[in-house]
Amino acid sequence: MTYISNLYFTLLHKDFTLFYNTKKTILPLYTCALLILLSGCAEMDSHSQISRFQNSEDIYRASMRWGEWTNLFQLMKDKPDSTSKLKKPSEGYLTHLDSISVENVEVLSSGMNKAKGTGQSTLKIGYRFNNSVKVHSIKHTIAWWYHEESNRWFTDTPLPEEFDLPESR
């Protein structure tokens, strides 16, 4: 019996020694690999231009989808060198927008040019007027521009003309 227990202890000790030595060798390698992988993510923080672009697109889509028109208009700003000027929405226009129910917003394409500070998103918007059951579908392309001082993305693209007041169409 002693021989078997000594043999068992010896095998157990060898297994533990092998495990312990392997652990001592592999643990630093895993740590280094993890640090290398995480260092690649350092540029993708919430303050990066790319991250801000994606956030602006997300806010635009969510505001459009849920009819949060004042949030949407906060993303609209004239580009400094632009000749076209966005109109400030009137109370009548905001009331009209409340009669539009956006059923879905789908991203068809999205991209940005970090060097130029420009971007473009193309959306497919399904909407209906509150007094209608018919869902209309439109494609809407949004031009984005980057404002360096505020580290934010804005659009100078107005809402789709299909959302205009009936008498202004």
Side-chain angles (χ1 to χ4, degrees):
M1 187 66 152
T2 333
Y3 175 73
I4 293 175
S5 51
N6 283 342
L7 180 64
Y8 178 74
F9 178 75
T10 306
L11 290 174
L12 184 64
H13 180 70
K14 285 183 181 179
D15 285 345
F16 177 75
T17 306
L18 177 65
F19 170 74
Y20 182 72
N21 288 338
T22 305
K23 186 175 160 187
K24 278 179 34 181
T25 308
I26 292 180
L27 189 60
L29 292 175
Y30 280 135
T31 305
C32 288
L34 182 63
L35 288 174
I36 289 169
L37 289 173
L38 290 177
S39 68
C41 298
E43 191 174 322
M44 287 301 292
D45 65 4
S46 63
H47 300 293
S48 75
Q49 194 173 349
I50 296 167
S51 170
R52 295 274 180 161
F53 178 71
Q54 292 168 342
N55 287 343
S56 295
E57 283 184 313
D58 291 344
I59 291 168
Y60 189 96
R61 285 193 313 273
S63 299
M64 172 76 69
R65 169 64 181 96
W66 300 110
E68 296 172 354
W69 305 110
T70 52
N71 290 346
L72 194 68
F73 285 113
Q74 288 179 2
L75 291 171
M76 295 179 173
K77 188 175 181 179
D78 290 320
K79 194 172 181 180
D81 59 352
S82 176
T83 56
S84 64
K85 299 293 178 197
L86 290 169
K87 295 181 213 170
K88 185 177 182 194
S90 66
E91 280 298 316
Y93 185 54
L94 289 173
T95 303
H96 166 70
L97 288 174
D98 286 337
S99 72
I100 297 172
S101 179
V102 176
E103 301 295 319
N104 57 56
V105 179
E106 178 185 340
V107 179
L108 298 177
S109 67
S110 173
M112 63 165 282
N113 184 324
K114 189 175 176 180
K116 291 183 179 179
T118 59
Q120 185 171 322
S121 307
T122 303
L123 307 175
K124 181 180 177 185
I125 303 168
Y127 72 97
R128 66 177 180 83
F129 292 98
N130 286 346
N131 58 359
S132 173
V133 293
K134 182 178 181 186
V135 176
H136 304 276
S137 183
I138 56 170
K139 192 159 76 168
H140 182 55
T141 302
I142 306 150
W144 295 92
W145 61 276
Y146 183 67
H147 188 256
E148 285 192 44
E149 288 85 39
S150 64
N151 191 25
R152 292 182 59 199
W153 285 86
F154 294 100
T155 179
D156 55 359
T157 305
L159 289 178
E161 62 184 31
E162 290 83 357
F163 289 12
D164 287 348
L165 287 165
E167 58 270 7
S168 66
R169 278 192 240 165

